[in-house]
Amino acid sequence: MTLLLIWAIGMLIWGLAGFFEYFTGIVPFIQLQNAAYPNGVQFVHWLLITLTGGVFLFGYIFRWKWTPFAMILLFSNLAILCTIQTFDFMSEQWGYSQYFTEIVFYIIHSSFLLISSVSKLRFEFNL
């Protein structure tokens, strides 16, 4: 759970930095925009990344019982976006191995959030 928390904080920072660059054109620390993606896809990319980090952080802090389900919804949306980015806008930055790694990451973490006793205790839910 601690690793997911650290990952979520990283996602939130990355998403906010991406939005900052998206709206201002100022590169925060490294260039985050991918020129291969249209503006709308880029916006949805930063929106989902920011929401994913923010929702998990909120849910973790406040022990929101819907956190695991909200995360699965966000992971599925990120997986769809990743599929679109990989197969429609393939760039040298992204390849099939990274795509499959990301999808496996979403599956493992979704399973953990639904099945793990640690998750059930933290978010106080039962299936």
Side-chain angles (χ1 to χ4, degrees):
M1 191 65 73
T2 303
L3 290 175
L4 272 177
L5 181 61
I6 293 167
W7 169 82
I9 292 168
M11 289 286 282
L12 182 59
I13 292 168
W14 182 35
L16 291 172
F19 264 137
F20 176 78
E21 183 180 342
Y22 178 83
F23 286 116
T24 66
I26 300 169
V27 176
F29 39 90
I30 61 169
Q31 184 171 358
L32 299 171
Q33 305 304 311
N34 186 332
Y37 303 158
N39 282 341
V41 171
Q42 197 74 34
F43 179 83
V44 172
H45 175 86
W46 297 121
L47 178 65
L48 288 175
I49 289 171
T50 304
L51 281 174
T52 301
V55 165
F56 187 82
L57 190 58
F58 172 86
Y60 185 86
I61 291 169
F62 294 104
R63 295 180 175 260
W64 184 43
K65 73 176 187 173
W66 298 107
T67 301
F69 307 103
M71 292 306 297
I72 291 168
L73 178 67
L74 287 164
F75 285 155
S76 66
N77 281 279
L78 281 167
I80 291 168
L81 181 63
C82 182
T83 301
I84 291 167
Q85 291 171 333
T86 300
F87 294 99
D88 287 348
F89 305 108
M90 179 71 80
S91 70
E92 65 281 347
Q93 293 175 291
W94 202 245
Y96 296 113
S97 61
Q98 292 92 346
Y99 168 75
F100 289 113
T101 301
E102 188 169 337
I103 299 301
V104 167
F105 173 87
Y106 296 144
I107 292 168
I108 289 170
H109 286 91
S110 295
S111 300
F112 172 79
L113 288 170
L114 283 180
I115 298 169
S116 165
S117 59
V118 173
S119 178
K120 289 179 180 182
L121 182 64
R122 179 73 197 181
F123 300 114
E124 301 174 356
F125 75 94
N126 291 312
L127 287 179

